[in-house]
Amino acid sequence: MITASDFLAEAGHAGFDFYTGVPCSFLDPLINGVLSAPGLGYVGAASEGEAVAIAAGAWLAGRRTVVLCQNSGLGNAVNPLTSLNAPFRIPTLLLTTWRGEPGIPDEPQHAVMGRITQDLLAVIGVPHAPFPASREALAPAFAAALGRMADTGLPFAFVMRKGDVAEQPLHAPARPLPAPGRRADFPAAGERPSRAAALERFLQLVPDQAAVIATTGKTGRELFTLADRPQHLYQVGSMGGASGMALGVALNAAGPVFVLDGDGAALMKLGSLATIGAYAPGNLVHVLLDNGVHDSTGGQPTVSPSVDFAGVALACGYAYAAGCATLDGFAAALRDAMAVPGPALIHVRIAPGSMAKLGRPTVTPPEVALRFKAFLAGRAAAGGGKPSAA
């Protein structure tokens, strides 16, 4: 058995300085230790998959990351681990617990995952090792994990058993409630703009030094077709994870960060709006392009026509939110959002359909990630330091 301080000290020596995850009783000592430690960033995510996306964004912004979750939550994390971290070659240290370990009594819902935890990690290509539960094991375990991540560019997991870490009390200040946000809608009748037209207007208005993360599917493809720049990250796979990635970037990189989201993606991880509202990065603008359909898969309808995304954002703690359905309304809302501290959300109702000549990114995901990371590093060097993570 080790203490949380033992683990965090060795993790700090290895460069790990950003933590995110979803609690498990086995993990309580470590999470309590992180929350109680000055200078360490921790983001409590709404889901394990969101935590993986947040960590990916933090890595792009130069942090070395740790994701903590119960092994039952690996089911939520499989999608981003395989369709975000793997294609982009984004490493993270994954700490997963081993609830339902065979031979150790536990709740019935943990039985299946307890039998397959290590097999599941192997199947999805995440190398793993037992959690280093002695002081002597910590340094070599971190060295092995770092070496493997450096060789592959992929996550590495420690599997933690009950009692590996001694109990640790929580000493963390309460998170203040956000002030009520402001809403400014721009209603108008008439034909809704295309996504390409909205993206063209967006590109005309955003600052040259803005980092832009585009959700998976045709949003990223259209952005690439219109303008490919180092500060653009075209998310492939990991549907719903773009806003979490943007949060990870915004908390750890000075300068404006924009996420171009879609209605289907936002609905898939609606809890991300609550996380963004709670951690309140002032440099984040969330643009939600809502055409009411799953455009990349044949136009099947989403449930977004009945959803007031701007209202949801304000209820979650965003500082500003607007709804619009014209290019002029979008431009006005975007100028508003950029003029005040965020986070801000702009819900843009657009028409279904996409560009007739729609390209695909010709840069590979690892190249996209590395050049985006280099852009953020260059922007920080030119313009100052980083904000402290929440």
Side-chain angles (χ1 to χ4, degrees):
M1 181 184 292
I2 60 171
T3 67
S5 297
D6 293 333
F7 181 89
L8 296 176
E10 195 61 47
H13 293 151
F16 291 98
D17 58 359
F18 183 88
Y19 293 76
T20 181
V22 178
C24 168
S25 59
F26 291 11
L27 288 168
D28 281 355
L30 288 181
I31 294 177
N32 291 351
V34 174
L35 287 170
S36 302
L40 285 181
Y42 178 80
V43 174
S47 72
E48 295 80 3
E50 181 194 1
V52 173
I54 292 168
W59 180 85
L60 290 166
R63 305 298 287 265
R64 187 166 280 175
T65 67
V66 182
V67 173
L68 306 98
C69 72
Q70 189 177 101
N71 53 335
S72 62
L74 284 175
N76 287 328
V78 164
N79 177 260
L81 287 170
T82 57
S83 66
L84 176 61
N85 293 76
F88 283 101
R89 291 295 188 267
I90 295 178
T92 192
L93 181 64
L94 176 65
L95 299 187
T96 180
T97 59
W98 196 3
R99 297 295 303 266
E101 179 181 353
I104 297 180
D106 207 329
E107 299 298 324
Q109 67 268 25
H110 298 301
V112 172
M113 191 60 81
R115 290 196 303 269
I116 68 169
T117 294
Q118 288 83 353
D119 291 340
L120 177 59
L121 289 168
V123 165
I124 64 174
V126 176
H128 56 277
F131 182 87
S134 70
R135 289 191 182 95
E136 298 75 19
L138 282 167
F142 273 108
L146 284 172
R148 192 66 178 267
M149 287 190 284
D151 289 342
T152 65
L154 296 173
F156 184 92
F158 288 144
V159 180
M160 182 180 179
R161 304 175 70 192
K162 184 176 183 179
D164 278 350
V165 182
E167 292 299 318
Q168 162 85 26
L170 175 63
H171 301 290
R175 181 170 295 280
L177 293 176
R182 180 172 70 91
R183 181 162 184 161
D185 288 326
F186 300 87
E191 189 173 338
R192 292 178 180 176
S194 67
R195 181 175 45 240
L199 291 174
E200 286 179 328
R201 186 64 64 92
F202 171 82
L203 289 168
Q204 292 168 5
L205 294 172
V206 294
D208 289 339
Q209 289 302 301
V212 181
I213 296 173
T215 189
T216 188
K218 292 187 176 179
T219 299
R221 292 175 61 189
E222 287 192 339
L223 181 64
F224 172 81
T225 302
L226 291 169
D228 177 39
R229 301 187 298 171
Q231 60 263 52
H232 292 175
L233 190 138
Y234 315 107
Q235 186 196 46
V236 295
S238 193
M239 184 172 172
S243 57
M245 288 183 73
L247 175 61
V249 172
L251 289 174
N252 295 288
V257 179
F258 293 80
V259 56
L260 299 170
D261 214 346
D263 50 305
L267 289 166
M268 186 172 284
K269 283 195 167 50
L270 203 58
S272 293
L273 273 70
T275 311
I276 291 169
Y279 288 89
N283 56 339
L284 179 60
V285 177
H286 191 168
V287 177
L288 204 160
L289 301 169
D290 178 5
N291 60 9
V293 300
H294 293 286
D295 211 11
S296 296
T297 58
Q300 301 86 357
T302 71
V303 299
S304 71
S306 62
V307 179
D308 176 10
F309 286 105
V312 172
L314 289 177
C316 288
Y318 279 59
Y320 173 89
C324 53
T326 66
L327 292 179
D328 288 344
F330 176 41
L334 192 56
R335 292 188 185 98
D336 263 7
M338 292 189 294
V340 296
L345 181 135
I346 303 170
H347 178 203
V348 193
R349 299 273 188 187
I350 60 173
S354 58
M355 298 171 66
K357 294 182 178 180
L358 181 57
R360 291 183 182 273
T362 54
V363 283
T364 67
E367 292 169 336
V368 169
L370 289 176
R371 72 178 193 178
F372 186 85
K373 188 175 186 181
F375 164 78
L376 292 177
R379 188 176 72 173
K386 300 176 181 178
S388 59

